[in-house]
Structures are given as structure tokens and as C-alpha cells.
Amino acid sequence: MDTNNDDSGAPVLLLVGSSGGHLAQLLALRPWYEQWRRCWVTFDTPEAVSLLAGEDLVPAHHPTTRNVPNLLRNALLAWRVLRARRVAAVVTTGAGVAVPFVVLARMRRIPTVYIEVYDRIDTATLTARLCRPFLSAMLVQWDEQRRQYPEATVVGTLL
């Protein structure tokens, strides 16, 4: 849970997502990310802490929906985390906690990847719309989601 100095200096994959379904979809990527050194940013809920036991976990402020004070707190947290670690890329499934991390990472020229959640097929999520201008890559889980994101790559369902 240390947001201070990264003692090894090795690149780290920053996985950012709200707890619950967003975190579950990131966890489904385990075969892909297990070879990487990683850091997680999510809410400090009992479920998230249990699922990420033994992982480098930075607790984010919640709730994030329409909560400007927590948006500002998470922006400060993002600035600290991105400054303290050598982040290779930011990967997120949303929701609100993702916005400051994606924006600040992009400003630092760190690649940013957004994976749209599997249950939003007909409409774009607010978080994806806010993050979209700052993304290096947009990934979707269904062909139908490309109606909202024509530039997206379809990766298939994660869950």
C-alpha cells in the first residue's frame, strides 16, 4: 500500500478499477499480466483487499460518482502514484477512479488502455467517454460495442 518510492525501479503495470465487476474483469486478465510487476488501484473494500492479497495495492477514494472532492483526492493520488513508480502502462476497466489516472498518465506519455465493461453493449459508459481522448488503445468485449467505439479492438469477453 505504499504510494511513496518504488525501491526496485523496475517498470510496473498499473491496473486501475473500481471494486466489484470492474475489478473482476481486470482480474480475469491474470494470464496476460502475471508476468509483469504490477500495482493495483482500487477501493479499500473487504472483497478487493481479499482478492488482491499479496499484491501491491493502492487504495483509492470512493464513492466516485458525482463526488468532486473524491475526484480531486484521486487526482492527487494519481499524481503521487505516477510520480513514485516507473509505470509502463495504465490498464483500466473504469469506473470513475480511472479518469484521473488515465488523464495524468497520458500527460506523462505513459500508454493508457481502456477496456469497456462487458455489460454496456448499446451505450458508452460515462467513464469511457471521459477517458477516450486520452487513450492509447480502446478495447471492447463485443463486436456490437464498436458502434460506440469504431476505433476499438474487439478482445472478446473477459468473464
Side-chain angles (χ1 to χ4, degrees), residues 1-2 12-13 15 23 27 30 33-34 36-41 48-58 85:
M1 288 198 188
D2 180 16
V12 63
L13 180 64
L15 297 152
L23 178 59
L27 286 166
R30 181 173 304 257
Y33 67 67
E34 66 186 347
W36 285 84
R37 208 167 150 265
R38 60 203 165 270
C39 175
W40 296 83
V41 177
V49 170
S50 173
L51 289 169
L52 296 172
E55 296 281 335
D56 182 8
L57 172 61
V58 176
R85 289 172 168 78

Side-chain angles (χ1 to χ4, degrees), residues 31-114:
W32 172 75
Y33 67 67
E34 66 186 347
Q35 67 184 350
W36 285 84
R37 208 167 150 265
R38 60 203 165 270
C39 175
W40 296 83
V41 177
T42 191
F43 305 143
D44 191 8
T45 63
E47 177 191 29
V49 170
S50 173
L51 289 169
L52 296 172
E55 296 281 335
D56 182 8
L57 172 61
V58 176
H61 302 278
H62 65 95
T64 57
T65 305
R66 294 178 184 86
N67 190 311
V68 174
N70 282 343
L71 173 64
L72 297 174
R73 287 182 189 106
N74 285 329
L76 181 59
L77 179 67
W79 181 77
R80 287 179 180 156
V81 169
L82 292 168
R83 201 178 105 230
R85 289 172 168 78
R86 192 168 143 221
V87 177
V90 173
V91 177
T92 184
T93 52
V97 67
V99 175
F101 283 88
V102 167
V103 171
L104 291 172
R106 188 60 175 191
M107 289 173 65
R108 294 177 62 97
R109 297 193 170 134
I110 296 169
T112 54
V113 178
Y114 192 97

Side-chain angles (χ1 to χ4, degrees), residues 118-141:
Y118 73 92
D119 58 345
R120 289 298 290 270
I121 297 171
D122 297 325
T123 59
T125 59
L126 175 59
T127 305
R129 290 189 313 231
L130 293 171
C131 290
R132 197 171 179 186
F134 304 95
L135 296 176
S136 305
M138 178 73 185
L139 308 179
V140 294
Q141 300 182 48

